[in-house]
Amino acid sequence: QVQLVESGGGLVQPGGSLRLSCTASGNIFSFSAMDWFRQAPGKQRERVAEITTSGSTNYADSVKGRFTVSIDNAKNTSFLQMNSLKPEDTAVYYCNANIRRTDNLLYDYSYWGQGTQVTVSS
């Protein structure tokens, strides 16, 4: 099977930084992109960043200029560098990827990480 595992969350003061990582493992044949989402209490899950395996990126307006997404294709790992954090960035952060598995090359399957809590507070 396939797993996405995130790490790097925590408590940080406003203006601080955190770096999240997401590693995909298992019977992976390929994937084309890895997305980062977040969900705050009482709010809908929103996509904050996306990176393709070729390095193209997209960001939500709310994080542009503060968050940077990167990818290490050799390690199936994406990173989300979050700078100038604000209290409104507080949320559970999830990574997501549509993965083509070695045991079924016909379809892409959507996988989510378990989530990592980011809390921005003084």
Side-chain angles (χ1 to χ4, degrees):
Q1 288 297 332
V2 172
Q3 279 191 314
L4 268 61
V5 178
E6 299 130 346
S7 63
L11 172 65
V12 65
Q13 291 186 340
S17 298
L18 282 174
R19 189 189 194 211
L20 308 182
S21 65
C22 174
T23 298
S25 63
N27 52 335
I28 298 168
F29 178 76
S30 67
F31 61 94
S32 59
M34 200 171 274
D35 294 357
W36 287 91
F37 290 76
R38 67 185 180 188
Q39 188 165 19
K43 294 188 176 181
Q44 287 190 331
R45 190 172 294 190
E46 63 169 343
R47 185 167 67 182
V48 296
E50 177 189 33
I51 186 165
T52 69
T53 51
S54 61
S56 297
T57 57
N58 281 295
Y59 298 93
D61 288 344
S62 58
V63 307
K64 277 181 183 176
R66 300 187 298 121
F67 289 13
T68 302
V69 62
S70 59
I71 195 165
D72 183 337
N73 290 317
K75 296 181 179 180
N76 291 336
T77 298
S78 174
F79 303 95
L80 186 66
Q81 177 68 42
M82 305 184 295
N83 298 328
S84 302
L85 283 161
K86 305 174 181 180
E88 50 264 43
D89 295 317
T90 296
V92 178
Y93 284 71
Y94 300 90
C95 60
N96 170 263
N98 292 323
I99 292 174
R100 188 150 302 188
R101 301 187 334 218
T102 57
D103 62 332
N104 189 336
L105 300 181
L106 295 179
Y107 303 106
D108 290 340
Y109 293 85
S110 179
Y111 289 91
W112 290 86
Q114 81 284 3
T116 185
Q117 176 70 48
V118 171
T119 302
V120 185
S121 175
S122 54

